[in-house]
């Protein structure tokens, strides 16, 4: 097992813990803002994991996917935050 | 195991640690504004370290320019998201006011209300 394979396992476990925690907050989250925020975190972790996989396997196939995600990640959270009425508790 | 591999491993581990810290932070922190603080770590610094790792592994001009584009868009859009979420949280009373040490916006709003009378 090479050095980068060991690193990829450790990093995968850490990314996984972060993603599971974000999903936990999406399910539990008391308000819709918490859910939007946790969705953003889940997306950021997905972008980071895509990049880590590219760096470990030395290819650039999913670089365009990262670009598109970074460009359009903003739409969901802003539309939720902008059009949330005061009485929407969850 | 070359020096470039060690650098790539360190950068990826930093990004993974920040992602894990953000996940734990948004589970443990009490309200939207403190969770917002935890959430921005992988969005900016985690992405930056991973992009540097990609450039170290594949050092070509095409990759470098795309990476700069990704970081630029992330830095442009994430503050907008954080601002809108924080504003919406403040307006819809999802802020734990007993945890706040100083609330400048509340003072400004009451000043404005008094001068408007």
């Amino acid at each position: 097992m090479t050095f980068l394979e060991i690193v990829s396992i450790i990093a995968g476990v850490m990314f996984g813990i972060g993603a599971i925690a974000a999903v936990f907050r999406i399910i539990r989250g008391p308000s819709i803002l918490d859910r939007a925020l946790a969705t953003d975190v889940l997306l950021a972790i997905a972008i980071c994991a895509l990049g880590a996989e590219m760096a470990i396997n030395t290819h650039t196939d999913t670089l365009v996917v990262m670009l598109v995600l970074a460009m359009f990640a903003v739409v969901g959270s802003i539309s939720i935050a902008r059009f949330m009425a005061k009485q929407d508790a969850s | 195991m070359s020096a470039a591999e060690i650098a790539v491993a360190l950068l990826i581990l930093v990004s993974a640690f920040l992602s894990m810290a953000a996940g734990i932070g948004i589970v443990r922190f009490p309200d939207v504004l403190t969770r917002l603080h935890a959430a921005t770590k992988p969005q900016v610094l985690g992405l930056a370290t991973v992009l540097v790792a990609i450039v170290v592994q594949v050092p070509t001009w095409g990759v470098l320019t795309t990476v700069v584009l990704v970081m630029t868009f992330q830095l442009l859009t994430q503050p907008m998201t954080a601002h809108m979420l924080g504003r919406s949280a403040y307006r819809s009373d999802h802020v734990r006011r007993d945890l706040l040490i100083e609330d400048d916006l509340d003072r400004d709003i009451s000043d404005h209300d008094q001068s408007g009378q």
Side-chain angles (χ1 to χ4, degrees):
Chain A
M1 186 177 275
T2 63
F3 175 61
L4 277 183
E5 281 178 6
I6 299 169
V7 169
S8 69
I9 291 173
I10 299 171
V13 169
M14 286 161 113
F15 282 128
I17 291 173
I20 288 172
V23 171
F24 174 78
R25 182 50 72 190
I26 292 175
I27 297 168
R28 282 290 301 280
S31 69
I32 194 169
L33 290 172
D34 292 303
R35 294 195 169 97
L37 184 61
T39 313
D40 254 17
V41 172
L42 189 60
L43 190 71
I45 292 173
I47 296 176
C48 288
L50 273 177
E53 186 267 333
M54 268 191 290
I56 285 171
N57 293 331
T58 324
H59 67 86
T60 54
D61 296 343
T62 47
L63 202 57
V64 186
V65 181
M66 284 177 81
L67 180 62
V68 173
L69 282 177
M71 281 169 77
F72 291 104
V74 70
V75 179
S77 304
I78 282 191
S79 47
I80 288 175
R82 179 70 185 82
F83 295 109
M84 196 186 81
K86 185 155 186 166
Q87 66 271 17
D88 287 345
S90 61
Chain B
M1 187 162 76
S2 62
E5 272 189 359
I6 294 174
V8 167
L10 271 180
L11 290 166
I12 288 172
L13 284 180
V14 166
S15 171
F17 175 75
L18 287 171
S19 299
M20 187 179 73
I24 294 171
I26 61 168
V27 169
R28 303 250 327 143
F29 280 167
D31 70 342
V32 177
L33 295 188
T34 47
R35 284 178 196 138
L36 206 56
H37 156 74
T40 41
K41 266 75 203 171
Q43 286 175 351
V44 175
L45 188 58
L47 186 70
T49 55
V50 138
L51 293 178
V52 172
I54 294 171
V55 174
V56 170
Q57 275 294 57
V58 191
T60 61
W61 283 111
V63 171
L64 184 66
T65 47
T66 316
V67 157
V68 168
L69 262 185
V70 172
M71 199 68 224
T72 307
F73 278 116
Q74 191 77 359
L75 287 178
L76 279 177
T77 54
Q78 289 305 330
M80 287 160 58
T81 311
H83 168 78
M84 290 302 289
L85 282 176
R87 176 175 176 271
S88 182
Y90 193 94
R91 290 187 158 202
S92 58
D93 284 332
H94 285 108
V95 179
R96 290 267 306 271
R97 288 178 202 276
D98 53 320
L99 295 177
L100 293 180
I101 296 169
E102 180 75 37
D103 191 354
D104 287 339
L105 184 56
D106 184 46
R107 197 191 60 209
D108 286 351
I109 289 173
S110 54
D111 281 354
H112 182 265
D113 286 346
Q114 280 176 2
S115 66
Q117 296 292 315

